[in-house]
Amino acid sequence: MLLLVGLGNPGKEYAGNRHNIGFMAINEIVRHHSFSSSRTRSRPKGVFSEGMIEEVKVVTLKPLTYMNESGQVVGEALRYWNLESDQIFVIHDELDLAPGKVRAKLGGGDAGHNGLRSITSHIGADYWRIRLGVGHPGEKARVTGHVLHDFTKTDKVWVARTVEAVAEAISLLLTGDAAAFSTQVTLLTQSHTPNRL
């Protein structure tokens, strides 16, 4: 079994934020692969769904804590399902990638991302990161406002294209082939016409 975690903040007021692109990607994976209806659990505290991707059982998780406490829920999920950290794939927004760019790797630092910092503090650093670029506002002082504001109407076109491509290509990453995953996402985003957000 593998665990796919999308990072974001719970609540309707945050649903369209750049910081919530991880939640958006999880929603698309659940839809694209016809996973079970999402259900909320009090422990681990999150919204879960499950299904099969290329004969691998996958559970998705959207933590119901705020971003900077995501690690508590991920740690509980790891222990609940008796997983190793490299069986966990975390999808998150990335300031240091251009909008719509996607990269994946196993392990690494948190690059100032509070959600990743929290997860690392609970399970160590040896989990997969799926980085979805949202662009940098240019000044450090503007970062918080940037990630906690909604995508613009124009942004929503590439956001939809990106999360659909991630959902279509995710099976490649679940086998550990980060390079093939990134390449396929790039090809799909260049040729794909989004049909939803």
Side-chain angles (χ1 to χ4, degrees), residues 148-160:
L148 292 180
H149 274 80
D150 287 358
F151 286 109
T152 66
K153 185 176 181 180
T154 302
D155 287 337
K156 289 180 180 181
V157 175
W158 66 257
V159 172

Side-chain angles (χ1 to χ4, degrees), residues 14 29-31 37 53 75 78 80-81 93-94 121 135 181 195:
Y14 299 107
I29 289 167
V30 167
R31 186 199 69 81
S37 298
I53 299 178
L78 177 142
Y80 182 85
W81 279 292
D93 59 305
E94 175 59 66
S121 73
F181 167 75
N195 53 42

Side-chain angles (χ1 to χ4, degrees), residues 23-44:
F23 277 11
M24 297 172 195
I26 288 293
N27 292 343
E28 182 59 22
I29 289 167
V30 167
R31 186 199 69 81
H32 183 86
H33 294 281
S34 302
F35 276 23
S36 64
S37 298
S38 297
R39 65 192 188 284
T40 303
R41 297 173 58 114
S42 58
R43 195 168 183 90

